[in-house]
């Protein structure tokens, strides 16, 4: 009977040791992963990486989580640069299924293309073509409309300079200062000719 009692006591001690070790090796890291995952889900991407002290499944999970944290931090930094107008950023794909980074690459490419178009327009080049990606592409649609309106006003200015005062100026809105000024100029020139 004393052997049975010794065995039971030994099993109880062993159970307590296993419980304590599982708390330290499994539960604590999982609680920390859960806490950080909650922070990330709330938009706080700037998390410290985990210290990895084991090579078991928990260690592997921490390695993968660290990689995810690093990738999210990188994308957050890139988005801050884009928001500041820096279109020279480079977005690295983590895999061929990295939809978020691929979308960032497309966004940077599209914005850089529109910036080049704006630069050409500011240099007076109205022969640019604007690549509208969809009907919901508000920025490109606005650029296209602006180029069309400026090109139309340029043609009107050319006709006026040739003496043709029969031109019709299309005023786009009550805030269309340029077209309104052209219309006033045509009317004034017509009044001089009478």
């Amino acid at each position: 009977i004393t052997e049975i009692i010794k065995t039971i006591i030994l099993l109880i001690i062993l159970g307590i040791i296993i419980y304590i070790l599982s708390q330290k090796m499994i539960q604590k890291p999982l609680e920390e992963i859960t806490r950080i995952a909650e922070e990330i889900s709330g938009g706080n991407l700037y998390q410290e990486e985990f210290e990895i002290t084991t090579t078991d499944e928990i260690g592997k999970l921490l390695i993968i989580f660290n990689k995810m944290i690093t990738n999210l931090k990188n994308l957050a930094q890139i988005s801050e640069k884009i928001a500041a107008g820096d279109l020279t950023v480079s977005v690295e794909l983590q895999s061929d299924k990295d939809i978020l980074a691929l979308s960032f690459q497309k966004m940077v490419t599209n914005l850089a293309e529109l910036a080049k178009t704006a630069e050409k327009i500011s240099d007076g080049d109205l022969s640019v073509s604007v690549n509208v990606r969809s009907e919901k592409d508000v920025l490109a649609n606005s650029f296209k409309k602006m180029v069309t309106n400026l090109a139309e006003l340029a043609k009107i200015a050319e006709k006026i300079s040739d003496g043709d005062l029969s031109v019709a100026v299309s005023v786009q809105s009550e805030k269309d200062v340029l077209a309104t000024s052209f219309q006033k100029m045509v009317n004034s020139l017509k009044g001089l000719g009478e």
Side-chain angles (χ1 to χ4, degrees), residues 103-116:
S103 295
F104 267 83
Q105 282 181 339
K106 288 178 184 176
M107 179 174 57
V108 169
T109 300
N110 295 344
L111 288 171
E113 185 180 302
L114 285 171
K116 285 180 185 175

Side-chain angles (χ1 to χ4, degrees), residues 77-166:
Q77 290 168 350
I78 287 169
S79 67
E80 287 174 350
K81 289 179 180 179
I82 293 169
D86 181 359
L87 300 179
T88 63
V89 295
S90 175
V91 183
E92 300 291 326
L93 294 179
Q94 300 303 312
S95 73
D96 59 341
K97 296 178 183 176
D98 190 350
I99 295 170
L100 188 57
L102 185 61
S103 295
F104 267 83
Q105 282 181 339
K106 288 178 184 176
M107 179 174 57
V108 169
T109 300
N110 295 344
L111 288 171
E113 185 180 302
L114 285 171
K116 285 180 185 175
T117 300
E119 188 174 340
K120 288 180 180 179
I121 293 169
S122 71
D123 289 339
D125 181 0
L126 300 179
S127 67
V128 295
S129 67
V130 180
N131 183 14
V132 178
R133 285 153 190 82
S134 73
E135 63 185 43
K136 295 193 181 228
D137 188 350
V138 177
L139 190 57
N141 276 312
S142 295
F143 263 87
K144 187 173 182 175
K145 184 176 177 182
M146 180 177 65
V147 169
T148 301
N149 292 342
L150 287 172
E152 182 182 320
L153 287 172
K155 287 178 186 174
I156 290 171
E158 190 173 332
K159 287 182 180 181
I160 294 170
S161 71
D162 289 340
D164 182 359
L165 299 179
S166 66

Side-chain angles (χ1 to χ4, degrees), residues 27 44 58 72 81 90 116 157 182:
Q27 187 173 350
N44 183 2
I58 296 294
L72 288 172
K81 289 179 180 179
S90 175
K116 285 180 185 175
F182 264 84

Side-chain angles (χ1 to χ4, degrees), residues 11-79:
L11 287 173
I12 290 173
I13 292 172
L14 186 61
I16 291 171
I17 291 170
I18 290 172
Y19 175 76
I20 291 171
L21 287 176
S22 72
Q23 287 288 316
K24 183 180 179 188
M25 295 174 62
I26 297 173
Q27 187 173 350
K28 296 289 184 196
L30 288 178
E31 286 174 354
E32 186 64 9
I33 288 172
T34 302
R35 183 190 68 74
I36 288 184
E38 241 178 70
E39 286 288 322
I40 290 171
S41 74
N44 183 2
L45 304 181
Y46 293 103
Q47 300 297 316
E48 294 297 318
E49 291 186 2
F50 294 99
E51 181 181 335
I52 299 164
T53 58
T54 179
T55 58
D56 61 3
E57 267 54 42
I58 296 294
K60 290 176 185 174
L61 180 61
L62 294 176
I63 289 169
I64 292 168
F65 221 86
N66 280 347
K67 186 176 179 184
M68 183 180 71
I69 289 170
T70 300
N71 292 341
L72 288 172
K73 281 181 187 177
N74 289 339
L75 287 174
Q77 290 168 350
I78 287 169
S79 67

